[in-house]
Amino acid sequence: MEFEKKLIEVQQQLKKEKINGWLLYDFRHSNSLAYIFLEIPASKMLSRRFFYWIPSSGEPIKIVPQIESHTLDHLPGIKWIYKSWQELESQLFSLKLENHKVAMEYSPFNALPTLSKVDAGTIDFMRKNGVEVVSSANFIQRYTCVWNPQQLQSHLEAAEILSLIVDQTWNFIEKKLITSQAVDEYQVQQFMLKLMTEHNCVTADPPTCAINANSADPHYSPKKGQALSIRPGDFILLDLWCKKNQPNSVYADITRVGVAAKNAQIKQKHIFNLVKETRDRATLFIKENYEAGLSIQGWQVDQLCRDVLNEKGYGEYFIHRTGHNIGQDVHGPGANLDNFETRDFRQLIPGTCFSIEPGIYLPHEFGVRLEYDVYLSFEKKIQITGGIQEELVCLNL
């Protein structure tokens, strides 16, 4: 999207929300969201404070340090250059924002940590200036989380690769056990990681293979020399995420579960079916409301899942949010499906993607998590990516 078009949209949104302007601020890459919106490469070396003021009407103002006066030259607006801290404060005061509502990357009481990018001291200064600081949460998603067609394609390719890797990984484990070869969680992790590389994909963190009680730890990661050996009868959870190794690509993220046996235990099947029901009900809720053009907030989906599992008597074993935004980072900055770790009031908007991954984690036994990704198209349709697990995987041992 051309920056001038973004400006027009933002100013319209500011007027709609009765906000006087949006003040974007950064110091040494402290505000990654500002970099995305302002189209500043993340690799660009900037070491001083800068501000970009977008009033609800009128021309933007760029406040930049003399030593890095070129910082915002690619953007429209009037440029003010400061040399000292006194000049910076004077320029900020001269914006005449007293009794104004000003949006910043701020979340009251840090309710949404992914949005809280502006430090408390800067917020203090703005309040000293007579400003009422409000959150940019309601509109910044549009400019930091919406995918372009190329990004959507990169996600679809990554999701297909992950689905393929999972199938190959089950076959890898099965073959090792059938031939009585030693295999542990770490070896399986490295096998998946190798396949990602072979498919020209990258990941910030390695995938997970967790068996039995380790699968009841949502963030377990096997370590070389400490990983558990996989044996017939074990419960196995595979969690993997990656993106194409190309500029601006976005992640896909999935989780699958199975048993190293021809048949699963009754309790394993029962827990699997509860998680599957929860996942499916969350997906249906999103589908029905999104296709009807109704607003959906992240917390609503999470609460639905908690209500289901509380009713079944397993609510206390669902120990994380239902899903997270997905972007160039696997945990993106947009709306999460969360009314547990945070109350995410942000809307699920077209052109964004998130995971749905409810789970039940039974300490000292096993954990079931079923995860796929959901993309919200501009045609009011949802698209599930990464495949849909309908049954517990059972290895042919």
Side-chain angles (χ1 to χ4, degrees), residues 93-144:
F93 271 99
S94 68
L95 289 174
K96 302 187 185 307
L97 302 180
E98 188 174 359
N99 300 318
H100 279 27
K101 282 187 178 180
V102 173
M104 299 187 78
E105 284 62 74
Y106 154 76
S107 178
F109 306 105
N110 198 27
L112 298 175
T114 56
L115 188 77
S116 290
K117 301 295 185 181
V118 180
D119 63 277
T122 300
I123 298 295
D124 285 344
F125 178 80
M126 297 310 298
R127 288 172 176 160
K128 177 184 175 183
N129 199 0
V131 168
E132 178 184 350
V133 180
V134 298
S135 178
S136 62
N138 286 333
F139 56 85
I140 195 170
Q141 276 195 106
R142 173 73 181 87
Y143 309 103
T144 57

Side-chain angles (χ1 to χ4, degrees), residues 23 49 51 53 61-66 78-97 125-126 129:
L23 185 64
R49 291 176 286 180
F51 293 81
W53 168 242
I61 295 175
K62 301 176 278 189
I63 301 178
V64 294
Q66 183 182 47
I78 303 165
K79 181 160 74 171
W80 294 353
I81 299 174
Y82 72 88
K83 305 183 191 69
S84 65
W85 64 266
Q86 293 96 336
E87 287 186 2
L88 173 59
E89 290 194 1
S90 175
Q91 289 177 3
L92 288 170
F93 271 99
S94 68
L95 289 174
K96 302 187 185 307
L97 302 180
F125 178 80
M126 297 310 298
N129 199 0

Side-chain angles (χ1 to χ4, degrees), residues 156-227:
L156 296 176
E157 291 176 13
E160 185 176 346
I161 288 167
L162 289 179
S163 185
L164 176 65
I165 290 175
V166 163
D167 291 341
Q168 292 177 321
T169 302
W170 291 127
N171 291 336
F172 172 76
I173 297 170
E174 185 177 75
K175 182 178 180 180
K176 289 285 188 181
L177 295 179
I178 287 175
T179 57
S180 300
Q181 298 181 62
V183 60
D184 63 25
E185 298 164 317
Y186 179 77
Q187 289 174 291
V188 174
Q189 177 198 66
Q190 295 304 302
F191 176 79
M192 292 189 287
L193 198 56
K194 180 174 178 289
L195 290 178
M196 289 179 188
T197 302
E198 291 176 357
H199 284 89
N200 193 34
C201 290
V202 294
T203 178
D205 299 291
T208 290
C209 172
I211 67 169
N212 301 332
N214 285 340
S215 67
D217 177 356
H219 282 176
Y220 172 77
S221 182
K223 300 293 187 294
K224 187 176 183 179
Q226 302 175 23

